[in-house]
Amino acid sequence: MLAFEQNNTWIVTDLPPGKSAIDCKHVYKTKFHHDGTIERLKATLVAKGFTPKAGIDYIETFSPVAKLITVKVLLSIAVIKGWCLLQFDINNAFLHGDLKKEIYVCKSPSYSVGGTNQVCKLLKSLYGLKQASNQWYSKFFLSLIAFGFTQSKADYI
């Protein structure tokens, strides 16, 4: 819940007339070290994304992926040139995607901020929403462009 507050994922408010709130649930997972010992216990709040309606609650769900040939070429060039390739993980990645549509979710029972009948108006994407991956990609793409990267015309979306 702290990650949601730090990212300004939502604001707690009353549900406007004529609007409905999407239910959410916690998904629990055990993360392990490479040797099989428990690293940590993880809980993720996930929207029940099967309830929003296409064209009303969301328009675009597409999130591009690199073509396999592009990945193979990149890896080949890295080997030939002796480059070091690294992988990185972005914590709470979907929580960084800004939403364009007005979406409300029911508060988690463990979230005590606001009144009992209030809901959370989403400002950023939440895991489980149909448009979450598209919103994350848009934010990531614009960030790369701002850093001076250009999009390859060979693997264009």
Side-chain angles (χ1 to χ4, degrees), residues 35-100:
D35 63 359
T37 59
I38 294 176
E39 176 188 349
R40 63 189 162 107
L41 302 174
K42 181 178 179 183
T44 304
L45 185 67
V46 177
K48 293 184 178 179
F50 50 84
T51 55
K53 299 189 178 12
I56 298 170
D57 298 314
Y58 63 92
I59 305 294
E60 185 68 56
T61 60
F62 174 73
S63 182
V65 295
K67 293 179 183 171
L68 186 56
I69 189 66
T70 303
V71 174
K72 287 179 179 180
V73 168
L74 178 64
L75 292 174
S76 298
I77 292 170
V79 169
I80 291 167
K81 296 208 174 255
W83 292 346
C84 177
L85 291 180
L86 301 173
Q87 173 188 335
F88 70 97
D89 187 20
I90 297 174
N91 292 331
N92 302 312
F94 281 6
L95 304 183
H96 296 287
D98 299 316
L99 288 176
K100 294 176 178 75

Side-chain angles (χ1 to χ4, degrees), residues 7-10 94-99 121-126 129 135 139:
N7 281 325
N8 296 318
T9 304
W10 58 53
F94 281 6
L95 304 183
H96 296 287
D98 299 316
L99 288 176
K121 178 183 179 185
L122 293 180
L123 305 174
K124 301 203 180 233
S125 217
L126 192 64
L129 292 177
Q135 297 307 125
K139 183 92 171 205

Side-chain angles (χ1 to χ4, degrees), residues 3 11 13 26-27 35 41 50 58 61 76 80 82 90 95 99 105 107 110 113 117 119 122 125 127 137-138 141:
I11 55 172
T13 185
H26 286 280
V27 175
D35 63 359
L41 302 174
F50 50 84
Y58 63 92
T61 60
S76 298
I80 291 167
I90 297 174
L95 304 183
L99 288 176
V105 293
K107 289 191 324 180
S110 64
V113 175
N117 293 328
V119 295
L122 293 180
S125 217
Y127 289 95
Y137 173 77
S138 295
F141 175 81

